[in-house]
């Protein structure tokens, strides 16, 4: 039987299809929402800014879009590709570290370049704003790559939409309320990306510790990053050079603004192509060139991009005149060229994505030749016919570049099974374009037809059941099930695979029922086990198929014990007692750090005592006075706590914790333990408090830990202590939720894992505990908890892992 490790490196075609198509729909949905908000933003600014200010804004936006297009694909797509291909946590951690380094360095370089260009058409303040926004976009792209590489497309889609909403609201506030003009409108781009900072990559368990500032020597990552940056940089130039050029050339400002507005409307297909590329890149990176997945991506793009292009290209002048103010008189004349050029540019971007997915960076030469041809056509068109000539030249240059890339791609890789259906897509669109042209003089009739066409296109893209492409023969027959895999069902979603995986995990780990399982089912179950910190229990139930995981868990546990003994031994020698919390000494330990509580006021002394044991020290800004992470050269880090608190909010009194702590009954330790463990009721409360005040979830390992503590005497004592500490109602509700889930697991029923706590419980415990702190006169802690509770609930709900 094939090993799970090798199966994981290349999932079956249908599973990749389902995930990619489902993800593409989420990303495309966000792209439609983002596009609508962006265009609404641009349209509103045509009313709020005068023609000269808007021309400066549009040029600055073009620069930001150009550099953002590079940032959006260079760092995130490199990281996503590396995560999709990685075979170990060490490789994933190295890719994340490299992405952080290149995003900061690339952002600084891009900001300088943008500032040099922006000073040609903008003042010093606007130039600085554009440069700062560029840097902010770059450094937040690591989070986007992390979500893309782990195929959490729903979360990424929500974040993209949130970014557009923030930009719209903040930009209008700056322009209308603060009267900051084009500088305020551009500053919103930098502020809107801040939510991505909440989704930074987590620490990979089992990966060796290295300083984040260290530069990787992995030549493959450098080659991939440079290759992606080069390819996408040229695509970004193709998308933005005309917008910047028209602002710099000596032409009428009203004509330049009209061209820029027409280009913004015509670039809708480019954003759709980007959405499809983001969703399909991880799957394409695991497969060979010319894979049928390329056909799925192309068809998804054309399904919605062709009808929208036809609608935009045939828009009546009377309608556009009503939408745009009087200064934009030539928009209707330019739209046919800019819309068609946008369709070609989107197709070009998809072909470049296909090339980079298989490391074919040789297409850069063809792409550079196309760029030269495109710029030549733009300049020639402007010299011959002004702004209209530039639009025609841009269309000719874009189509010529697309033909060059398409011919090269067809010769080298082919298009999977995509060739046959193209005629059935393009010919009806040509007929539709002719019909809309005929009714163009009748604005209301055209508008009704355009709404119907757009609705049908969107329904075909988002509403149709089943996958748009089946793996196998051109006839579309579904593939035969692989041995040991979950049977294929047309229209099935990725969540179906996760449901089977969770059922196997629960049967094995919770109920102790080990049944035969195929490699694919085990691979998905192992992923669910890692999310629930129980991969060791699952692996030992299937020691032959998951031998590598057994070895990995044993190594991680050994490193934990070694680091625990070394660190607590040093602290005991310095006269500092410690209590180990949130750890089961009888089981596995695969987490990236272990938690040690030191007596009040001894946190600084504990750090000094461990000087020389750790190589890196870090703190989290919300907990910098109560917690510190000390990372040794290898193995899990020591997470020192000056108090049992979360986000600076004290929950379990540290003095009582030490007074009731016990020496561990650990046969794996030598005489004279250097650490203490909480008493049973304290252990129960700490697990519940960790879920209530930080994670807002309980994973399977935590449910197992709680199950062993559900004794009447422990529960009675825990109830008394939570009442004393001011969170009894929230603790009771959380425990009731956990116990109910345990009963369902005992019966073999479906339970979401990790188990989310109800939002009402999370909000209730915040109000209850902050009120208790206020009554006790701890105003600062009460204010801190009350102000953080709602943002914490929102952030955790958004960050919850999506299958």
């Amino acid at each position: 039987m094939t090993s799970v490790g090798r199966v994981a490196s290349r999932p079956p075609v249908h599973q990749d299809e389902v995930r990619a198509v489902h993800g593409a729909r989420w990303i495309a949905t966000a792209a439609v929402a983002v596009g609508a908000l962006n265009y609404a933003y641009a349209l509103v600014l045509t009313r709020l800014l005068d023609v000269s200010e808007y021309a400066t804004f549009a040029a600055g936006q073009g620069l930001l879009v150009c550099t953002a297009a590079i940032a959006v694909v260079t760092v995130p797509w490199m990281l996503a590709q590396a995560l999709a291909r990685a075979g170990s946590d060490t490789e994933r951690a190295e890719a994340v570290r490299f992405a952080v380094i290149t995003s900061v360095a690339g952002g600084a370089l891009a900001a300088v370049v943008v500032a040099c260009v922006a000073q040609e058409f903008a003042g010093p303040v606007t130039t600085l704003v554009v440069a700062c926004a560029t840097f902010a976009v770059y450094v937040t792209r690591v989070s986007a790559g992390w979500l893309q590489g782990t195929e959490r497309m729903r979360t990424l889609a929500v974040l993209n939409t949130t970014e557009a909403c923030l930009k719209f609201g903040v930009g209008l506030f700056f322009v209308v309320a603060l009267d900051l003009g084009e500088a305020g409108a551009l500053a919103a781009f930098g502020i809107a990306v801040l939510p991505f900072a909440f989704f930074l990559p987590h620490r990979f368990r089992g990966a060796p510790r290295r300083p984040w500032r260290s530069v990787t020597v992995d030549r493959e990552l450098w080659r991939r990053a440079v290759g992606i940056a080069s390819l996408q940089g040229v695509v970004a130039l193709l998308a933005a050079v005309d917008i910047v050029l028209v602002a710099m050339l000596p032409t009428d400002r009203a004509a330049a603004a009209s061209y820029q507005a027409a280009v913004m409307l015509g670039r809708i297909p480019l954003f759709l192509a980007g959405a499809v590329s983001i969703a399909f890149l991880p799957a394409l990176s695991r497969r060979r060139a010319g894979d049928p997945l390329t056909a799925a991506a192309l068809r998804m793009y054309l399904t919605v991009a062709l009808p929208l292009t036809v609608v935009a290209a045939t828009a009546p002048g009377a309608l556009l005149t009503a939408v745009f103010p009087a200064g934009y008189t030539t928009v209707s004349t330019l739209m046919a060229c800019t819309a068609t050029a946008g369709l070609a540019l989107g197709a070009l971007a998809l072909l470049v994505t296909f090339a980079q997915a298989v490391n074919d960076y040789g297409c850069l030469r063809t792409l550079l030749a196309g760029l030269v041809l495109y710029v030549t056509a733009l300049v020639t068109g402007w010299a011959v016919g002004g702004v209209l000539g530039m639009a025609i030249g841009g269309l000719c240059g874009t189509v010529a570049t697309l033909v060059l890339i398409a011919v090269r791609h067809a010769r080298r890789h082919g298009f999977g099974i995509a060739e046959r259906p193209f005629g059935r897509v393009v010919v009806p669109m040509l007929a539709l374009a002719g019909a809309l042209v005929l009714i163009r003089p009748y604005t209301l009739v055209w508008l009704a037809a355009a709404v119907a066409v757009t609705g049908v296109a969107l329904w075909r893209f988002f509403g149709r059941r089943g996958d748009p492409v089946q793996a196998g023969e051109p006839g579309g027959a579904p593939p035969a099930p692989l041995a040991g895999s979950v049977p294929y069902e047309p229209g099935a979603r990725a969540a179906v695979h996760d449901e089977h995986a969770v059922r196997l995990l629960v049967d094995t780990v919770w109920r102790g029922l080990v049944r035969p399982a195929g490699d694919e089912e085990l691979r998905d179950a192992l992923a669910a086990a890692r999310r629930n910190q129980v991969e060791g229990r699952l692996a030992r139930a299937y020691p032959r198929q998951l031998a590598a995981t057994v070895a990995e868990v044993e190594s991680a546990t050994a490193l934990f014990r070694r680091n625990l003994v070394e660190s607590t031994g040093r602290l005991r020698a310095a006269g500092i007692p410690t209590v180990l919390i949130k750890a089961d000494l009888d089981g596995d330990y695969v987490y990236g750090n272990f938690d040690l509580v030191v007596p009040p006021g001894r946190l600084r002394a504990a750090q000094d005592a461990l000087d020389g044991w750790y190589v890196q020290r870090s703190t989290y800004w919300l907990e910098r006075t109560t917690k510190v992470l000390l990372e040794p050269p290898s193995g899990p880090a020591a997470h020192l706590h000056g108090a049992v608190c979360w986000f600076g909010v004290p929950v379990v009194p540290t003095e009582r914790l030490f007074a009731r702590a016990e020496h561990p009954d650990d046969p794996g330790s030598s005489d004279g333990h250097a650490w203490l463990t909480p008493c049973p009721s304290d252990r129960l409360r700490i697990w519940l408090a960790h879920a209530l005040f930080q994670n807002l979830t309980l994973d399977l390992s935590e449910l197992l830990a709680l199950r062993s503590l559900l004794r009447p005497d422990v529960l009675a004592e825990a109830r008394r202590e939570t009442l004393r500490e001011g969170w009894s109602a929230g603790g009771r509700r959380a425990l009731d939720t956990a116990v109910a889930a345990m009963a369902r697991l005992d019966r073999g029923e479906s339970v979401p894992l990790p188990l989310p706590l109800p939002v009402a419980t999370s909000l209730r415990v915040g109000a209850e505990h902050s009120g208790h702190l206020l009554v006790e006169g701890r105003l600062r802690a009460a204010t801190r908890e009350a102000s953080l509770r709602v943002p914490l609930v929102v952030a955790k709900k958004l960050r919850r892992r999506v299958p």
Side-chain angles (χ1 to χ4, degrees), residues 297-643:
L298 282 171
R299 271 197 289 271
M300 286 198 77
Y301 170 69
L302 292 176
T303 295
V304 68
L306 268 174
L308 293 181
T309 299
V310 169
V311 168
T314 60
L319 181 63
L320 293 174
T321 301
V323 173
F324 290 96
Y328 298 81
T329 54
T330 60
V331 171
S332 60
T333 307
L334 301 171
M335 274 301 299
C337 293
T338 57
T340 309
L343 175 68
L345 188 58
L348 174 66
L350 269 180
L351 293 183
V352 171
T353 298
F354 299 159
Q356 78 180 45
V358 294
N359 296 340
D360 179 16
Y361 303 120
C363 67
L364 179 62
R365 291 187 294 272
T366 306
L367 202 57
L368 286 173
L371 176 63
V372 172
L373 186 63
Y374 175 70
V375 174
T376 302
L378 281 175
V379 174
T380 303
W382 177 80
V384 173
V387 171
L388 178 59
M390 178 180 284
I392 297 173
L395 171 60
C396 296
T398 305
V399 172
T401 305
L402 173 61
V403 170
L404 289 176
I405 292 294
V407 169
R408 182 188 183 279
H409 191 89
R411 288 176 176 175
R412 288 179 174 266
H413 308 303
F415 292 97
I417 57 172
E419 292 88 348
R420 185 178 61 85
F422 278 179
R424 296 193 311 203
V425 175
V426 175
V427 172
M429 287 301 106
L430 293 176
L432 175 64
L436 289 178
V437 168
L438 290 177
I439 63 175
R440 192 168 181 254
Y442 311 99
T443 303
L444 293 179
V445 177
W446 180 94
L447 184 60
V451 170
V453 168
T454 303
V456 170
L458 294 177
W459 176 81
R460 292 183 63 198
F461 188 84
F462 294 106
R464 291 179 65 181
R465 296 296 177 185
D467 301 321
V469 61
Q470 307 290 350
E473 298 301 318
L482 301 178
S485 68
V486 178
Y488 178 74
E489 300 174 7
R493 296 170 181 252
V496 173
H497 297 273
D498 194 66
E499 182 181 341
H500 285 284
V502 171
R503 185 177 298 119
L504 174 63
L505 177 66
V506 169
D507 286 345
T508 305
V509 173
W510 185 268
R511 306 178 69 200
L513 304 176
V514 180
R515 55 181 171 82
D519 286 351
E520 181 184 357
E521 190 177 10
L522 268 181
R523 188 203 64 246
D524 292 340
L526 181 59
R530 291 188 188 279
R531 292 197 297 271
N532 286 275
Q533 312 288 329
V534 291
E535 56 263 47
R537 293 173 181 261
L538 178 69
R540 278 191 294 275
Y542 298 91
R544 186 170 62 88
Q545 293 165 273
L546 297 177
T549 304
V550 172
E552 174 190 336
V553 170
E554 290 177 350
S555 174
T557 303
L559 286 172
F560 156 66
R561 287 186 173 275
R562 184 200 69 184
N563 289 359
L564 175 63
V565 170
E566 290 179 355
S567 58
T568 54
R570 283 175 174 253
L571 291 170
R572 183 176 63 176
I576 303 174
T578 55
V579 177
L580 176 68
I581 61 173
K582 296 187 299 176
D584 179 10
L585 291 171
D586 295 328
D588 306 314
Y589 199 89
V590 293
Y591 197 61
N593 57 72
F594 54 92
D595 298 270
L596 295 172
V597 182
V598 299
R602 305 298 302 275
L603 186 60
R604 182 71 256 180
Q607 296 176 57
D608 294 339
L610 292 177
D611 189 26
W613 178 80
Y614 65 90
V615 295
Q616 183 171 339
R617 173 187 178 277
S618 60
T619 58
Y620 179 50
W621 65 281
L622 282 175
E623 302 172 312
R624 58 184 178 274
T625 62
T626 58
K627 297 182 185 179
V628 63
L629 190 69
L630 305 179
E631 303 186 33
S634 63
H639 203 170
L640 298 185
H641 301 247

Side-chain angles (χ1 to χ4, degrees), residues 654-680:
T654 309
E655 296 86 351
R656 289 182 61 81
L657 174 72
F658 273 90
R660 295 144 54 93
E662 309 167 340
H663 285 287
D665 181 17
D666 179 20
S669 294
S670 58
D671 230 354
H673 302 289
W675 67 91
L676 302 170
T677 58
C679 70

Side-chain angles (χ1 to χ4, degrees), residues 67 105-117 127-128 130-136 138:
T67 54
L109 178 61
V112 172
V113 173
V114 163
C116 292
V117 177
T127 299
L128 179 62
V130 174
C132 292
T134 299
F135 182 77
Y138 261 87

